[in-house]
Amino acid sequence: MSTETPAIGRPRAFDEETVLARAAEVFWRHGYEGASLSALTSAMGINRPSLYATFGSKEQLFQRAFARYHETQVASVRAALEQPTAYAAVEAFLRSSADGLTADDHPAGCLSIQGGLACSPENARISEILAAGRAATESALEERLSRAAKEGDLPDGMDARALARFVMALSAGHAVHAASGASREDLQASVDIALRTVALHP
């Protein structure tokens, strides 16, 4: 009978937050289906066994990477919605979004748009995850605008839900244009027009 002490598993030689950030960038650039395991493991600096042992599967890795990304976006949205008026909140949301979509420290555009807006049927779950993230942001906007309506901070008859949908649609359109090469100045000019066009003052 062997008296050898069982070997203790080696500690992970990587930081999960760091590799998740790298994975998010690959998904952001190539979309879920376009992100190969080879591209992911190369960017993350780990091998396939480590990926599977830590994250379970490519889909689970995406879920973790997107959750991390979404938490960052939620923090930015909350800061914008804390502005004292509906106009200021919408302006802060759109301008911070335009800045983020064209920042130099990550791919242009938005992971929630480019990650898997169109997926094959077997990967429909990815599109659902991304849609849920966008819906959560829209709900936060609607809640803030509904409060503004109750406080008399929106024009009479303004539909808070429709306004929230408009703001989200504009932001999503900006994401597509940013991914196609639109500059920060281009997007901010579009925000200027939107703010002049939509009467948000009561």
Side-chain angles (χ1 to χ4, degrees):
M1 178 177 181
S2 174
T3 59
E4 292 182 5
T5 302
I8 299 175
R10 295 193 319 180
R12 290 176 187 156
F14 59 87
D15 177 71
E16 282 192 28
E17 288 300 302
T18 299
V19 298
L20 280 173
R22 293 171 180 170
E25 182 165 334
V26 175
F27 287 126
W28 201 331
R29 291 186 185 281
H30 304 288
Y32 177 78
E33 293 189 348
S36 67
L37 285 174
S38 295
L40 287 165
T41 54
S42 176
M44 296 164 73
I46 63 176
N47 56 32
R48 290 194 186 192
S50 292
L51 186 154
Y52 290 126
T54 306
F55 302 105
S57 67
K58 179 183 175 183
E59 180 177 324
Q60 290 172 312
L61 170 63
F62 181 85
Q63 290 176 322
R64 289 277 303 278
F66 179 69
R68 180 183 180 279
Y69 165 86
H70 189 60
E71 286 175 7
T72 302
Q73 300 306 303
V74 166
S76 176
V77 170
R78 285 175 179 161
L81 299 186
E82 286 174 0
Q83 296 298 314
T85 66
Y87 182 94
V90 169
E91 180 177 22
F93 176 84
L94 288 173
R95 293 203 185 284
S96 63
S97 174
D99 287 344
L101 293 169
T102 53
D104 294 330
D105 59 348
H106 57 65
C110 175
L111 175 58
S112 69
I113 300 294
Q114 289 143 247
L117 192 58
C119 279
S120 56
E122 59 267 28
N123 290 319
R125 176 65 181 151
I126 300 301
S127 294
E128 293 170 0
I129 290 169
L130 298 176
R134 295 191 299 273
T137 301
E138 186 174 319
S139 293
L141 269 169
E142 181 182 348
E143 181 180 346
R144 174 65 182 87
L145 294 171
S146 293
R147 176 161 63 85
K150 292 176 182 177
E151 295 171 348
D153 188 34
L154 282 181
D156 290 340
M158 177 71 76
D159 187 328
R161 183 179 183 184
L163 178 57
R165 177 64 54 87
F166 168 79
V167 173
M168 282 296 294
L170 181 60
S171 180
H174 282 172
V176 173
H177 282 286
S180 300
S183 68
R184 174 184 178 278
E185 291 72 23
D186 292 333
L187 301 190
Q188 292 292 359
S190 177
V191 173
D192 290 339
I193 293 172
L195 292 171
R196 290 198 301 267
T197 302
V198 181
L200 293 178
H201 295 295

